[in-house]
Amino acid sequence: VRPALGAQRAACFALLWSVSVELWQLAHLWPLHGTRDHLLSRLVLGSHFDPWDLLAYALGALLILALAAAATSDRRLSPR
């Protein structure tokens, strides 16, 4: 079973989403101001800006792309 969304699109979408959340935190532009007081929203959206998070998100996206490329190359090299 192959997902409809490819690894490149999924990695780009995840990276854009996570960077957007970090920038919202940096600029204090929360779309729903009351959500910062709830535990679940803090777990999903975070509580404060951290530049190290941006590095972690970029490295995660690169890891997904590398794993997808390795899986694709393994499929091409293996006999059918």
Side-chain angles (χ1 to χ4, degrees), residues 55-79:
L55 177 63
Y57 299 142
L59 291 175
L62 289 174
L63 177 64
I64 293 299
L65 293 175
L67 290 173
T72 302
S73 67
D74 284 347
R75 272 189 248 133
R76 288 183 189 158
L77 295 176
S78 65

Side-chain angles (χ1 to χ4, degrees), residues 46-61:
S47 59
H48 64 280
F49 174 77
D50 187 354
W52 288 106
D53 287 347
L54 296 174
L55 177 63
Y57 299 142
L59 291 175

Side-chain angles (χ1 to χ4, degrees), residues 1-33:
V1 175
R2 293 186 62 194
L5 188 65
Q8 290 178 337
R9 286 186 178 171
C12 287
F13 176 76
L15 184 61
L16 286 173
W17 170 258
S18 56
V19 168
S20 297
V21 169
E22 285 296 319
L23 293 177
W24 284 337
Q25 292 171 354
L26 178 63
H28 302 288
L29 296 175
W30 288 92
L32 304 170
H33 292 288

Side-chain angles (χ1 to χ4, degrees), residues 35-58:
T35 60
R36 289 174 50 164
D37 299 330
H38 300 286
L39 176 63
L40 183 59
S41 66
R42 284 197 314 265
L43 290 173
V44 173
L45 299 174
S47 59
H48 64 280
F49 174 77
D50 187 354
W52 288 106
D53 287 347
L54 296 174
L55 177 63
Y57 299 142

